Amino acid sequence: MLGLTLRCEIRTNNFPLLVDHISREAAYFAIRLKELNEGKLSPAQDAIIKENVFFLRIMADHSKFIGHLLDPSERKLVEQAREFSHDFDQLLFQAIDLDSMRPQSETKPLLSQFLDQNKVSVVSLRDFKKTARELIEACRIKSNIHPLLADHTFREAERFLEIIDLFEANLNRKQSDNKTLES
């Protein structure tokens, strides 16, 4: 569908980036289902950076879509969405840089700071999405955002926070295990 859209063989009201975004989410979901069926309940320790790259890009995409789907007269909200887009693009670039430095970048201090920084930004975006969802459901802002889409983006931010928490717990457990072995 993306190829057809980019070649103008089909016309749609969806942005090509949205079509790509949806296909990335579907591929991620299929891989995650396979892992769950194999008994892999938690994300792998060495997947911290890659998993964050994926979700930071998703969060950046969401911010861009929100900014474009709000009515232009919602100036303050549009500006907030653009700021989130910029912030998550910067976090994504940092994550890509860390990924290119692997395995040397996979130290507890670096990964811990990386997760903390991402968590602060995701919490802020999640809260923005929650407020936007509530305002959209109450018909208190002007937008082309369907309430189900607003809920979807909110839930993905929640999921990203859960994944960050799992990685933080794994890092802390690994550090505790190393201290025990050293004793």
Side-chain angles (χ1 to χ4, degrees):
M1 187 162 164
L2 179 59
L4 294 171
T5 302
L6 291 173
R7 290 188 305 273
C8 299
E9 293 177 26
I10 62 170
R11 302 289 180 174
T12 176
N13 288 329
N14 293 317
F15 300 113
L17 182 61
L18 178 60
V19 175
D20 178 59
H21 176 95
I22 293 167
S23 68
R24 281 185 274 120
E25 285 182 340
Y28 175 87
F29 184 69
I31 290 168
R32 192 65 190 121
L33 277 178
K34 183 179 179 224
E35 290 172 348
L36 290 170
N37 284 329
E38 293 170 353
K40 298 175 187 171
L41 302 180
S42 295
Q45 174 70 26
D46 62 353
I48 289 177
I49 297 172
K50 287 198 176 292
E51 192 90 3
N52 274 266
V53 166
F54 174 81
F55 275 101
L56 289 168
R57 184 165 184 204
I58 294 293
M59 296 300 114
D61 288 353
H62 286 175
S63 300
K64 288 171 182 61
F65 300 143
I66 291 167
H68 284 48
L69 294 173
L70 288 165
D71 188 85
S73 69
E74 297 286 359
R75 287 172 175 79
K76 183 68 175 159
L77 293 174
V78 169
E79 183 57 32
Q80 285 178 300
R82 286 186 181 141
E83 288 172 8
F84 279 118
S85 172
H86 176 76
D87 290 347
F88 277 91
D89 282 343
Q90 296 308 307
L91 290 170
L92 174 60
F93 297 146
Q94 286 178 311
I96 290 168
D97 291 342
L98 263 183
D99 191 40
S100 72
M101 296 177 196
R102 289 177 60 225
Q104 292 80 1
S105 63
E106 294 178 312
T107 67
K108 163 75 168 121
L110 274 179
L111 292 178
S112 183
Q113 198 279 343
F114 172 67
L115 291 173
D116 287 346
Q117 187 177 18
N118 290 348
K119 188 173 193 173
V120 168
S121 294
V122 176
V123 165
S124 184
L125 179 60
R126 186 240 5 233
D127 293 347
F128 173 78
K129 288 177 173 183
K130 181 180 180 189
T131 301
R133 180 191 67 183
E134 291 166 356
L135 293 172
I136 289 165
E137 287 172 351
C139 196
R140 292 182 51 208
I141 59 174
K142 298 173 293 301
S143 78
N144 285 338
I145 303 171
H146 192 281
L148 291 175
L149 178 59
D151 184 61
H152 168 80
T153 64
F154 168 75
R155 286 182 289 108
E156 281 196 346
E158 284 278 289
R159 179 64 183 144
F160 188 18
L161 288 171
E162 291 170 4
I163 289 169
I164 290 172
D165 287 342
L166 284 171
F167 281 133
E168 286 178 331
N170 285 345
L171 276 178
N172 292 333
R173 186 173 33 259
K174 187 176 180 181
Q175 185 178 16
S176 294
D177 292 347
N178 288 343
K179 285 183 181 178
T180 304
L181 291 175
E182 291 171 3
S183 302

